[in-house]
Amino acid sequence: MAKSKRYVYYQPNSKDIKDEYGDCTIRALSKALGVSWLEAFDMTIPIMRDNWVTNIFDVPVEVRNKFLWALGFKYTGVSSKKGSTRPTVDSFAKEHPNGTFILKVAHHVVACVDGKYYDTWDSGYKSLYGYYEKETCPT
């Protein structure tokens, strides 16, 4: 499978030189918020400690949504109607040339910014289950 022109390799974790850590949530937050990997990681520590998990996408949905809402993200679910197919990461990026999103797919999270998706591998074929959109403040 050829790499999509919308895919951009993104690895802000300097300790993960082989792309093996499974820290997609932290990478996505880092890109979407424009902060370092460590800053994104530190933001999630209180929630992960309170819920005894290693990933904010493993906490109850209402806790995760409240956390991301406080960072300026709103959630939109993607329904799966009988006979239809879900959009993919690549098709979502194509249809959203502007904006900042965190995309939720099966067992993975990926950042999408201004029509490009950022990951350590080309996850463009993954089906979208929902997304968090960073709301912009009117100027």
Side-chain angles (χ1 to χ4, degrees):
M1 181 179 344
K3 285 186 182 173
S4 169
K5 63 183 176 182
R6 286 174 280 285
Y7 164 68
V8 178
Y9 176 81
Y10 181 70
Q11 176 52 284
N13 182 350
S14 62
K15 303 273 187 201
D16 187 9
I17 58 173
K18 294 184 179 179
D19 298 332
E20 298 176 332
Y21 281 10
D23 57 351
C24 61
T25 302
I26 306 303
R27 291 193 317 266
L29 282 171
S30 167
K31 182 62 184 175
L33 295 172
V35 300
S36 72
W37 184 94
L38 195 54
E39 288 170 307
F41 177 77
D42 286 346
M43 283 182 211
T44 66
I45 288 174
I47 290 174
M48 293 187 300
R49 285 181 61 98
D50 287 348
N51 292 275
W52 288 70
V53 297
T54 59
N55 184 319
I56 64 162
F57 277 80
D58 292 337
V59 301
V61 172
E62 58 275 2
V63 173
R64 176 177 68 230
N65 287 351
K66 183 177 178 184
F67 169 74
L68 288 167
W69 179 81
L71 293 173
F73 289 89
K74 94 176 164 181
Y75 182 73
T76 301
V78 175
S79 66
S80 175
K81 296 177 183 144
K82 188 174 181 174
S84 67
T85 58
R86 292 180 182 275
T88 63
V89 168
D90 188 66
S91 68
F92 182 91
K94 181 179 180 181
E95 294 169 11
H96 293 84
N98 299 300
T100 300
F101 307 88
I102 296 174
L103 310 181
K104 177 74 177 104
V105 299
H107 312 291
H108 193 54
V109 180
V110 60
C112 179
V113 179
D114 295 335
K116 303 277 185 189
Y117 56 97
Y118 296 78
D119 208 341
T120 57
W121 53 284
D122 189 347
S123 55
Y125 67 93
K126 297 284 267 178
S127 295
L128 193 63
Y129 286 86
Y131 60 91
Y132 292 87
E133 180 176 8
K134 181 88 166 109
E135 296 182 314
T136 54
C137 297
T139 54

